[in-house]
Amino acid sequence: MSRCPQCRCETCQGPTCLNKTPLLSNLTREEADKISAGVSSKVFHKGETLFHAGDTADRLYIVCSGKVKLLKHTAEGKEQILYILKAGDFFGAFNLLKEDRFDCTAEALTDSLVSMLKKSEFDRIILSNPEITLKVFEKAYERIIKLETLIERLSTASLDARVAGLLLSLIPDFGTHTPEGTLLKLSISREDMGSYSGIARETMSRKLHLFDELGYIQLKSTRQILIKDLAGLQSLLHESHE
């Protein structure tokens, strides 16, 4: 792996510093040195597939830069986005414990640099550092909570609540606070937004235009949405659970 000029961590050997990745933050300098030789990096261009559902799952993927979506296809053939991973996020933690098959597909939403750690390399250090296993379980638990949130969002009867919930969930990854409100600079399309919410693209577009007319948001461009009434969106989401 070539060294990234922006990386200052000598144990990293590339854009992703293993020590600063939450999953592997317990690694000592010596342990990081040992497994760094087994870490490889690759640039996946927008629309390129990292892996398909059914492929052998035998490594951890860490997003160094860019964004990656994890998706499944419904029985009707429609795409359903499960997660959107950003820089610092990872996928495949359980693959380090037991080789399996991927049950979803990963695709680059933008040009993305991804580092990969094979199970065989992980096995070499886990015997002497069992705390890493605990971190895997902690992060896996967080992922389960996110999945439960997704299921709750998809089962919500109100379409307004689904769209409101989606906009609110995009703030941490895409939002910037401005004097006018929270500006979402998106790298996902209307179709991706509909897929993430479990509704058709046309319905998503109609709801966004409705929210614009009601003053909740302002559609500044295809990929930029200004959230003007944060409390209003939150009330739409809460009303669905009453």
Side-chain angles (χ1 to χ4, degrees), residues 51-72:
F51 54 80
H52 291 91
D55 288 350
T56 300
D58 62 351
R59 64 195 64 194
L60 166 72
Y61 291 82
I62 305 170
V63 180
C64 306
S65 65
K67 289 184 173 63
V68 174
K69 64 178 177 180
L70 303 181
L71 60 97
K72 285 187 175 183

Side-chain angles (χ1 to χ4, degrees), residues 70-162:
L70 303 181
L71 60 97
K72 285 187 175 183
H73 289 91
T74 66
E76 295 77 22
K78 294 182 179 180
E79 180 182 293
Q80 175 63 59
I81 298 178
L82 303 177
Y83 302 106
I84 296 177
L85 308 180
K86 62 184 186 303
D89 289 339
F90 65 89
F91 180 75
F94 281 128
N95 303 339
L96 297 180
L97 300 180
K98 183 181 185 299
E99 183 177 311
D100 204 342
R101 297 280 178 181
F102 285 116
D103 60 359
C104 63
T105 296
E107 179 183 310
L109 270 173
T110 63
D111 289 350
S112 304
L113 180 63
V114 180
S115 288
M116 293 158 281
L117 172 62
K118 293 183 178 180
K119 181 181 183 304
S120 57
E121 297 298 328
F122 182 78
D123 287 345
R124 290 198 299 121
I125 64 167
I126 196 171
L127 293 178
S128 59
N129 193 1
E131 302 92 80
I132 296 177
T133 306
L134 297 179
K135 288 194 172 290
V136 171
F137 287 136
E138 288 173 0
K139 289 300 176 179
Y141 173 76
E142 292 178 8
R143 188 59 54 86
I144 291 172
I145 295 300
K146 287 184 178 180
L147 182 57
E148 290 177 345
T149 301
L150 171 65
I151 294 172
E152 181 179 4
R153 184 171 73 241
L154 295 180
S155 61
T156 301
S158 169
L159 291 177
D160 287 352
R162 292 194 200 183

Side-chain angles (χ1 to χ4, degrees), residues 208-235:
L208 290 175
H209 280 94
L210 175 61
F211 281 16
D212 188 307
E213 294 173 2
L214 294 175
Y216 294 127
I217 64 174
Q218 179 183 349
L219 299 175
K220 302 183 76 68
S221 69
T222 305
R223 298 296 178 99
Q224 292 192 21
I225 300 174
L226 178 67
I227 298 178
K228 300 169 61 178
D229 187 356
L230 188 63
L233 292 180
Q234 292 172 335
S235 66

Side-chain angles (χ1 to χ4, degrees), residues 190-213:
R190 293 281 195 273
E191 186 172 2
D192 288 330
M193 293 175 69
S195 172
Y196 202 28
S197 302
I199 61 179
R201 179 184 59 184
E202 294 78 9
T203 303
M204 172 61 67
S205 295
R206 286 198 300 271
K207 286 298 180 182
L208 290 175
H209 280 94
L210 175 61
F211 281 16
D212 188 307
E213 294 173 2

